[in-house]
Structure formats: C-alpha cells, structure tokens
Amino acid sequence: LFQVLVNIGNHFDLASSIFVAPRKGIYSFSFHVVKVYNRQTIQVSLMQNGYPVISAFAGDQDVTREAASNGVLLLMEREDKVHLKLERGNLMGGWKYSTFSGFLVFPL
C-alpha cells in the first residue's frame, strides 16, 4: 500500500506510480528502498521515459534489513515520465519501508 505525503499539483499518479513533469526544467529525484528479511540482492532503478537513469543495490546476505539509496538531477521536458522499477530481487513487505521524492529545482 502506497501513501502519498505531498503531491502538489497531482503530477504523481498513485495508480501507476508515475510522476509526469508539468513543465520543462531541472528536477531533483531521490529514493530510499529497504529490503526486509530477504536474502536476495535487490536492484531498483529510476526510469525516465522507460530508460534506466540511476540504480541502487542492496545485497548483504547476513542482515535482516538493508537500505539502498540514490539521487539525481534530471533535465526533463514537459510530460516526461519518471518512476521506480524493481529490476532484480523481491521486496518482502512491499514498498512500505521505501520513499520516493521529486521536485522542480529550476524551470526552463
């Protein structure tokens, strides 16, 4: 179950988990993913228009919880799309221990 804390302008679609840029500009995105009680390696990628831009990995086999984080500044055109994709592994407990943030830094 996802919980959206702030979504000014409603540019993050909860049903699809996709952010759609309302205008051209420089955007900041970050994500923090926690795997819980899972001995698999996970890889999460931030996707822009269907292509991976950055990834984060968590793969320690001897811990019950492990976090993976990353962040990036992206030049986005109006209506470009950004979302997270679980590329490898399994998030036992789902996304409830994870966060995704994005905001416009500088309009162009």
Side-chain angles (χ1 to χ4, degrees):
L1 179 64
F2 294 104
Q3 180 182 11
V4 176
L5 300 178
V6 177
N7 191 10
I8 297 170
N10 292 313
H11 299 290
F12 179 78
D13 179 42
L14 185 58
S16 66
S17 299
I18 294 174
F19 172 81
V20 180
R23 62 179 301 163
K24 182 177 181 177
I26 305 297
Y27 289 78
S28 173
F29 293 98
S30 64
F31 61 93
H32 310 280
V33 179
V34 177
K35 68 173 193 158
V36 180
Y37 305 109
N38 184 342
R39 298 182 67 83
Q40 297 178 344
T41 296
I42 61 165
Q43 175 187 352
V44 175
S45 295
L46 184 130
M47 310 292 286
Q48 181 180 15
N49 297 325
Y51 295 96
V53 178
I54 56 172
S55 294
F57 299 85
D60 194 325
Q61 300 296 311
D62 296 324
V63 297
T64 56
R65 292 177 186 85
E66 186 178 11
S69 301
N70 212 338
V72 67
L73 291 174
L74 291 179
L75 170 62
M76 296 184 67
E77 300 292 331
R78 184 176 183 272
E79 298 190 7
D80 276 1
K81 295 174 174 57
V82 169
H83 71 279
L84 294 182
K85 180 180 180 186
L86 182 61
E87 300 267 27
R88 182 170 58 169
N90 182 327
L91 288 179
M92 292 177 70
W95 293 91
K96 71 179 180 178
Y97 300 110
S98 304
T99 62
F100 170 73
S101 299
F103 58 90
L104 177 65
V105 175
F106 189 81
L108 297 173

